[in-house]
């Protein structure tokens, strides 16, 4: 993991090296393979910052600690490695909390390091003291307080182990100022944590595997539910094999998009609240759901009372606490998804062709009916729709970009219209739904994958929550493309108000600054697009431009994401795009 | 229904908070929680009793295991076990009324551990129902209870016995849920004996 180029390679035997706690921090991070951290300095973490220059670790200065946490998160999601954020005590630490919770809900491996006041004054309400381990207790996998230099290395190493083991998640290490300033012997190897206690309920029992295989072999209408776990467990090949061998269609969760190629004939697309009608139809009609690395979130199931009423359910999941939590399952394979699938596949001989065709034909038939209502297929009315923007972006980037979205309507349009072929190409806050996530997370993703094209897709609301990070992108000279889908509303709020609150648009209209001028103020180029024919040229300009580029897409103000299953309703009770879209009709001004 | 978990946890600052916080997060009320040293150095033993739906046991145990400081979790609800609770009860009693309290205490096999001019203190050990029973008869007898301190339930699984012993104890080697329910109603065999003696 270490770079190996530096004389002080911590992985080599260096027992007896005496370092300060601050130096041990960086040396341990280097030993854990960390090459970049996202952070913001302050009083209680200054000893660590002072020692940073001695180590080959890049520090990215964000503009707000929330940005540091999201950037570390984006870095982790794009690379599969543990992301690292660093902040000072007090407000620095509390500003991380939203980002930590975001990572927790989406099971992203991350280590957050916070400075803390000296151990001698802990608990005295000293300046910038806050009980950050207490505050983050429910939103971290685990957290630590380090008060002695000799504990820095073992605790940081254990934090990395916890963050990436089992179901990954964020870990916070709070290091007092005197622990950073004190000194101790540093021995990276000796600080290795004891092997991680495996969750004792992890068991992929052979009898369950055989039962699962039998259910799969006998199913007439099976559906694979593809979740984030496939990406976390690197089980893409196994899912592909399972689907192709047994001719099983694959529906994805939001975070599962990319785990199964969208262009594959067996790919159905996203399920749930804003899933296409045929996807949810297939789930409701199914006689066997094979849930892989997903947790039956309420946005996926709708009301549980009527969820997939005829289906047996197999749940393959690494976290035993997820079994039977929302949906009672018939067979649970608890363990690493890839290992479980590898245990399962030998028991599944390829299915003869005649069996599956009826089920796949039924799904295919429902696709055609829906396509008529797809806004993408409606004639150009002179108005610009977000769906058009995303569709054009997908085509222009050949579906190969890493797209980092914010939260709201644009996020759902992205999920519907950008077809992700490979894992780790969609980075989005699913579980927590954190607005302001996109720009800082994209900074992390771009730094993780400098050779890949990275697009931010954000709404005008969420973009302004963390727009200060434009300054970070400019300072780091990141080749980042930023699409603001600007409809002048907090769009998803407005949509809910339209559907469920009698169009009482309370506090959802939004006056924004001129995003192009805002970009210019940061030394970033930008352009505004309001007509469909301008979309592709603008995307082309952004892609060719070196450095950050902002496109302000002025889209239809009162468009909604269709279909939509209202919260608490069944999967088949969806609101569909009206056949005669009033927005399209009023635009008949040609 | 009541669930009882025994958790072996690392003996470190903050571990109790983590365990308690988990139940708070799951919106489950803790009925009782006792914690103390176990037979292993650096390992504490918790007995947690909580009120939750019958199907919640798996999720609670699985969630407890997710805490890094939790070493082992046992959902003893399914298993043959001994459950005990200790209570200290301070009763107002003058020299004239003491003898009545003494009698009640003796029936319940409780001990008088402190005697003052106007009060006495009773120590009682047993299942919760026995302690509730003593409290009830004290109240009905008109003895004013000044203070009660209870430890909450502590449990331990029964050991490995030969089949003949198990048969004599009427404890099947592997219990089913239905059998467990029967046991809960009548308490464990040794408690049955106690209940017979005390007439409860």
């Amino acid at each position: 993991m270490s770079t190996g180029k530096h004389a002080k390679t911590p992985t080599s035997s260096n027992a007896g090296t005496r370092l300060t706690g601050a130096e041990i921090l960086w040396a341990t991070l280097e030993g854990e393979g960390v090459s970049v951290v996202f952070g913001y300095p302050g009083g209680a973490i200054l000893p660590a910052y002072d020692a940073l220059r001695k180590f080959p670790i890049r520090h990215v200065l964000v503009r707000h600690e929330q940005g540091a946490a999201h950037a570390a998160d984006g870095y982790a999601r794009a690379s599969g490695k543990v992301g690292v954020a660093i902040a000072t005590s007090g407000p620095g630490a509390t500003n991380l909390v939203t980002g930590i919770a975001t990572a927790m809900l989406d099971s992203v491996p991350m280590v957050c390091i916070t400075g803390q006041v000296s151990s001698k004054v802990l608990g005295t309400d000293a300046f910038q003291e806050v009980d950050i381990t207490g505050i983050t207790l429910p939103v971290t996998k685990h957290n630590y307080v380090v008060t002695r230099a000799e504990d820095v290395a073992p605790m940081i190493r254990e934090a990395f182990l916890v963050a990436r083991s089992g179901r990954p998640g964020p870990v916070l290490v709070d290091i007092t100022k005197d622990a950073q300033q004190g000194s101790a012997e540093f021995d990276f190897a000796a600080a290795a944590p004891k092997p991680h206690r495996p969750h004792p309920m992890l068991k992929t029992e052979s009898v369950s595997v055989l039962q699962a295989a039998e259910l799969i072999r006998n199913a007439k209408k099976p559906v694979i539910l593809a979740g984030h776990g496939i990406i976390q467990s690197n089980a893409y090949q196994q899912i592909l094999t399972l689907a192709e061998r047994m001719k099983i269609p694959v529906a994805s969760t939001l975070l599962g998009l990319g785990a199964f190629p969208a262009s594959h004939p067996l790919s159905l697309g996203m399920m749930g609240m804003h899933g296409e009608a045929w996807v949810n139809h297939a789930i409701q009609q199914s006689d066997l759901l094979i849930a892989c690395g997903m947790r039956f979130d309420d946005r996926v199931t709708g009301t549980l009372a009527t969820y997939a009423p005829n289906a047996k359910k197999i749940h393959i999941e690494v976290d035993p606490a997820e079994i039977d939590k929302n949906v009672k399952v018939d067979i649970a394979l608890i363990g690493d998804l890839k290992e479980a699938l590898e245990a399962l596949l030998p028991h599944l001989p390829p299915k003869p062709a005649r069996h599956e065709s009826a089920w796949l034909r039924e799904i295919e038939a429902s696709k055609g009916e829906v396509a008529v209502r797809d806004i993408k297929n409606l004639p150009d009315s002179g108005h610009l729709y977000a769906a058009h923007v995303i569709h054009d972006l997908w085509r222009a980037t050949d579906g190969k970009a890493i797209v980092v979205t914010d939260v709201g309507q644009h996020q759902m349009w992205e999920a519907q219209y950008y077809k992700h072929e490979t894992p780790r190409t969609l980075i989005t806050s699913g579980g927590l739904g954190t607005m302001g996530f996109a720009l800082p997370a994209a900074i992390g993703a771009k730094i993780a994958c400098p050779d890949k094209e990275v697009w931010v897709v954000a709404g005008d609301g969420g973009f302004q929550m963390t727009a200060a990070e434009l300054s970070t992108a400019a300072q780091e000279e990141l080749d980042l493309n930023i699409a603001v889908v600007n409809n002048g509303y907090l769009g998803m709020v407005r949509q809910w108000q339209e559907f469920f609150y009698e169009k009482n648009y309370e506090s959802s209209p939004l006056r924004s600054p001129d995003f192009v001028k805002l970009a210019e103020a940061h030394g970033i180029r930008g352009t505004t697009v309001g007509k469909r024919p301008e979309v592709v040229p603008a995307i082309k300009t952004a892609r060719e431009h070196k450095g950050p580029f902002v496109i302000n897409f002025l889209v239809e103000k009162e468009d909604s994401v269709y279909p939509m299953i209202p919260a608490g309703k069944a999967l088949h009770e969806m609101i569909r795009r009206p056949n005669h879209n009033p927005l399209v009709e009023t635009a008949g001004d040609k | 229904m009541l669930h009882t978990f025994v958790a072996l946890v690392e003996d470190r600052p903050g571990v109790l908070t983590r365990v308690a916080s988990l139940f708070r997060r799951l919106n489950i009320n803790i009925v009782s929680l006792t914690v103390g040293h176990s037979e292993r150095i650096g390992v504490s033993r918790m007995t947690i009793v909580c009120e939750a739906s019958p199907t919640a046991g798996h999720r609670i145990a699985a969630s407890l295991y997710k805490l890094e400081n939790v070493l082992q979790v046992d959902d003893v609800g399914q298993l043959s076990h001994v459950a005990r609770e200790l209570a200290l009860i301070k009763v107002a009693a003058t020299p004239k009324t003491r003898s009545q309290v003494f009698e009640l205490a003796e029936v319940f096999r409780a001990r008088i551990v402190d005697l003052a001019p106007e009060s006495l203190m009773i120590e009682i050990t047993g299942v919760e129902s026995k302690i509730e029973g003593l409290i009830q008869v004290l109240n009905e007898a008109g003895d004013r209870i000044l203070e009660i301190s209870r430890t909450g339930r502590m449990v331990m699984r029964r050991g490995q016995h030969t089949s003949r012993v198990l048969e004599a104890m009427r404890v099947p080697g592997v219990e089913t849920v239905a059998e467990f329910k029967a046991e809960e109603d009548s308490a464990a065999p040794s408690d049955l004996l106690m209940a017979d003696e005390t007439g409860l």
Side-chain angles (χ1 to χ4, degrees):
Chain A
M1 298 288 271
S2 167
T3 58
K5 278 180 275 180
H6 296 271
K8 272 197 306 181
T9 302
T11 39
S12 64
S13 178
N14 52 0
T17 315
R18 196 153 184 94
L19 300 176
T20 66
E23 290 166 337
I24 292 173
L25 166 65
W26 297 114
T28 311
L29 290 177
E30 187 193 350
E32 289 290 344
V34 174
S35 57
V36 58
V37 301
F38 305 88
Y40 204 107
I45 195 72
L46 267 180
Y49 273 82
D50 189 47
L52 176 56
R53 64 189 155 86
K54 300 172 195 161
F55 296 87
I57 291 177
R58 175 179 177 189
H59 180 273
V60 176
L61 177 68
V62 294
R63 296 303 182 267
H64 184 287
E65 289 86 351
Q66 183 186 345
H70 288 327
D73 182 325
Y75 178 90
R77 294 192 209 219
S79 67
K81 293 192 274 189
V82 179
V84 180
I86 181 163
T88 191
S89 64
T94 55
N95 279 347
L96 289 173
V97 172
T98 302
I100 294 172
T102 305
M104 184 70 175
L105 268 287
D106 289 347
S107 311
V108 177
M110 183 161 101
V111 170
C112 293
I113 292 151
T114 49
Q116 181 57 282
V117 299
S118 171
S119 65
K120 292 168 200 69
V121 294
L122 267 182
T124 65
D125 296 337
F127 177 65
Q128 291 194 333
E129 180 186 0
V130 78
D131 174 17
I132 194 61
T133 45
I135 289 172
T136 58
L137 195 116
V139 293
T140 49
K141 255 188 105 175
H142 195 54
N143 59 27
Y144 302 86
V145 184
V146 181
T147 55
R148 303 184 310 172
E150 58 262 46
D151 295 334
V152 172
M155 292 209 173
I156 294 283
R157 292 207 64 182
E158 193 177 308
F160 273 79
L161 180 69
V162 171
R164 60 183 160 219
S165 62
R167 179 178 179 175
V171 179
L172 182 136
V173 186
D174 195 29
I175 309 177
T176 60
K177 196 167 184 180
D178 52 335
Q180 298 167 47
Q181 289 164 327
S183 63
E185 301 288 313
F186 175 64
D187 185 344
F188 184 80
K194 57 183 186 295
H196 195 248
R197 159 185 72 81
H199 197 301
M201 291 178 171
L202 283 181
K203 49 175 195 269
T204 303
E205 284 174 354
S206 47
V207 56
S208 305
V209 170
L210 293 178
Q211 287 170 341
E214 192 183 340
L215 281 183
I216 296 171
R217 283 197 305 269
N218 296 332
K220 299 273 185 291
K221 299 179 168 187
V223 176
I224 291 172
L225 307 181
H228 198 198
I230 298 169
I231 296 169
Q232 304 269 24
S233 169
N234 293 320
Y236 333 117
Q237 193 53 54
Q238 287 72 16
I239 283 289
L240 196 61
T241 307
L242 174 65
E244 287 181 344
R245 189 184 288 181
M246 307 307 287
K247 304 285 189 295
I248 306 176
V250 178
S252 294
T253 66
L254 175 62
L255 293 187
L257 292 174
F260 191 80
S263 61
H264 195 286
L266 288 168
S267 171
L268 296 177
M270 183 173 69
M271 63 177 104
M273 183 175 271
H274 293 296
E276 289 298 349
W278 67 80
V279 191
N280 292 326
H281 173 81
I283 290 169
Q284 288 303 81
Q285 298 301 315
S286 166
D287 67 351
L288 177 68
L289 297 180
I290 308 160
C292 299
M294 55 85 75
R295 60 186 176 91
F296 293 105
D297 180 79
D298 56 80
R299 287 297 187 266
V300 150
T301 60
T303 180
L304 291 170
T306 54
Y307 180 68
N310 307 317
K312 295 262 185 196
K313 288 144 193 127
I314 299 171
H315 197 178
I316 312 177
E317 166 62 44
V318 73
D319 182 356
E322 292 295 343
I323 305 298
D324 291 341
K325 185 179 86 176
N326 299 331
V327 171
K328 182 99 180 74
V329 296
D330 297 276
I331 293 173
L333 303 180
I334 312 176
D336 178 68
L337 180 63
K338 188 174 181 175
E339 289 171 18
L341 289 173
E342 278 175 350
L344 189 60
L345 284 171
H347 303 288
L348 298 172
K351 219 173 180 186
R354 64 187 167 79
H355 279 297
E356 80 282 347
S357 51
W359 173 228
L360 294 178
R361 261 202 315 274
E362 181 183 335
I363 295 172
E364 202 57 41
S366 57
K367 276 189 189 180
E369 186 263 324
V370 169
V372 178
R373 298 184 190 222
D374 191 335
I375 188 159
K376 194 179 73 199
N377 298 331
L378 296 176
D380 184 1
S381 60
H383 287 215
L384 184 59
Y385 288 91
H388 293 148
V389 172
I390 304 293
H391 180 73
D392 290 351
L393 179 64
W394 167 62
R395 298 185 70 135
T397 56
D398 223 6
K400 287 179 179 155
I402 294 177
V403 183
V404 187
T405 82
D406 220 80
V407 170
Q409 286 185 317
H410 69 277
Q411 180 189 31
M412 293 298 109
W413 281 314
E414 201 284 345
Q416 291 176 338
Y417 293 102
Y418 198 103
K419 308 295 178 193
H420 291 275
E421 299 297 320
T422 51
R424 303 193 185 282
T425 56
L426 169 59
I427 293 174
T428 191
S429 167
L432 196 67
T434 309
M435 287 174 69
F437 174 80
L439 179 57
I443 289 170
K446 183 65 190 178
I447 288 170
C449 305
D451 299 331
K452 291 215 175 122
E453 180 176 356
V454 177
W455 277 85
V456 171
V457 175
D460 42 336
F463 182 67
Q464 288 185 73
M465 280 196 176
T466 51
E469 303 301 342
L470 278 175
S471 185
T472 309
Q475 182 169 346
E476 297 294 325
E477 296 172 0
L478 297 177
D479 194 5
L480 202 59
N481 301 309
I482 300 162
V484 181
V485 179
N486 186 347
N487 59 6
Y489 277 105
L490 302 174
M492 192 59 95
V493 172
R494 188 211 58 77
Q495 177 172 344
W496 280 56
Q497 288 170 332
E498 176 188 339
F499 290 177
F500 312 121
Y501 296 91
E502 295 163 336
K503 297 196 179 184
N504 175 20
Y505 295 157
E506 176 58 52
S507 302
S508 54
L510 184 71
R511 198 170 86 184
S512 298
D514 181 331
F515 291 124
V516 174
K517 282 188 179 159
L518 184 71
E520 276 168 12
H522 291 85
I524 294 173
R525 279 192 52 198
T527 184
T528 295
V529 170
K531 298 264 180 243
R532 180 83 190 266
E534 301 164 359
V535 173
V536 172
I539 291 171
K540 188 162 175 281
T541 309
R543 297 183 77 203
E544 285 166 357
H545 176 71
K546 285 280 157 215
F549 195 97
V550 173
I551 310 178
N552 180 26
F553 288 105
L554 300 175
V555 300
E556 187 58 48
K557 282 178 169 302
E558 298 193 13
D559 193 13
S560 292
V561 182
Y562 297 100
M564 177 181 192
I565 297 153
K569 296 282 187 180
L571 282 193
H572 54 270
E573 298 176 79
M574 57 183 70
I575 302 172
R576 302 281 293 270
R577 179 175 289 280
N579 258 333
H580 299 287
N581 191 328
L583 298 176
V584 176
E585 286 190 343
T586 54
D589 49 357
K590 43 191 173 261
Chain B
M1 68 174 252
L2 283 183
H3 293 266
T4 306
F5 299 94
V6 170
L8 295 180
V9 303
E10 289 175 329
D11 184 10
R12 285 192 188 179
V15 176
L16 178 62
T17 308
R18 290 174 194 278
V19 171
S21 177
L22 170 71
F23 285 86
R24 177 187 56 78
R25 212 156 71 226
L26 298 177
N27 194 25
I28 291 172
N29 187 37
I30 296 175
V31 175
S32 75
L33 190 158
T34 67
V35 56
H37 294 300
S38 71
E39 71 283 3
R40 282 153 66 187
I41 292 169
V43 176
S44 294
R45 181 181 175 113
M46 289 183 180
T47 307
I48 307 152
V49 181
C50 64
E51 178 69 45
S53 74
T55 54
H58 164 82
R59 178 149 184 249
I60 295 170
S63 302
L64 277 168
Y65 268 126
K66 285 171 77 172
L67 302 176
E68 292 297 321
N69 302 114
V70 173
L71 307 172
Q72 198 185 317
V73 179
D74 199 353
D75 183 354
V76 293
Q78 305 289 323
L79 304 154
S80 169
H81 64 272
V82 175
R84 287 291 179 275
E85 180 172 358
L86 185 144
L88 295 174
I89 304 173
K90 190 183 278 180
V91 183
T94 60
K96 284 179 185 165
T97 60
R98 270 177 203 157
S99 58
Q100 180 193 334
V101 180
F102 285 169
E103 277 174 26
L104 288 176
E106 195 175 338
V107 173
F108 279 82
R109 297 193 163 187
R111 298 198 300 150
I112 308 299
V113 291
D114 182 58
L115 194 64
E118 292 177 347
S119 72
L120 53 80
M121 195 192 301
I122 304 170
E123 175 197 306
I124 178 169
T125 310
V127 292
E128 288 98 320
S129 57
K130 182 179 159 189
I131 294 168
E132 292 294 342
L134 175 59
I135 293 168
Q136 188 186 338
V137 295
L138 284 169
N139 281 329
E140 285 172 358
D143 295 304
R144 197 156 62 86
I145 293 173
L146 302 172
E147 279 183 68
I148 298 177
S149 176
R150 297 173 64 161
T151 58
R153 186 191 295 179
M154 316 167 52
V155 303
M156 194 174 280
R157 289 171 65 168
R158 292 186 183 278
Q160 299 294 314
H161 292 287
T162 64
S163 55
R164 287 187 59 175
V165 174
L166 289 173
E167 196 181 345
M169 291 168 69
R170 283 172 277 154
V171 177
V174 181
E175 296 217 338
T176 64
V177 178
E179 283 163 330
F180 161 71
K181 276 185 184 145
E183 189 199 18
E184 193 180 41
D185 293 336
S186 58
S190 52
D191 299 323
L192 265 180
L193 192 67
M194 187 77 76
D196 289 345
E197 284 183 359
T198 53
L200 290 175

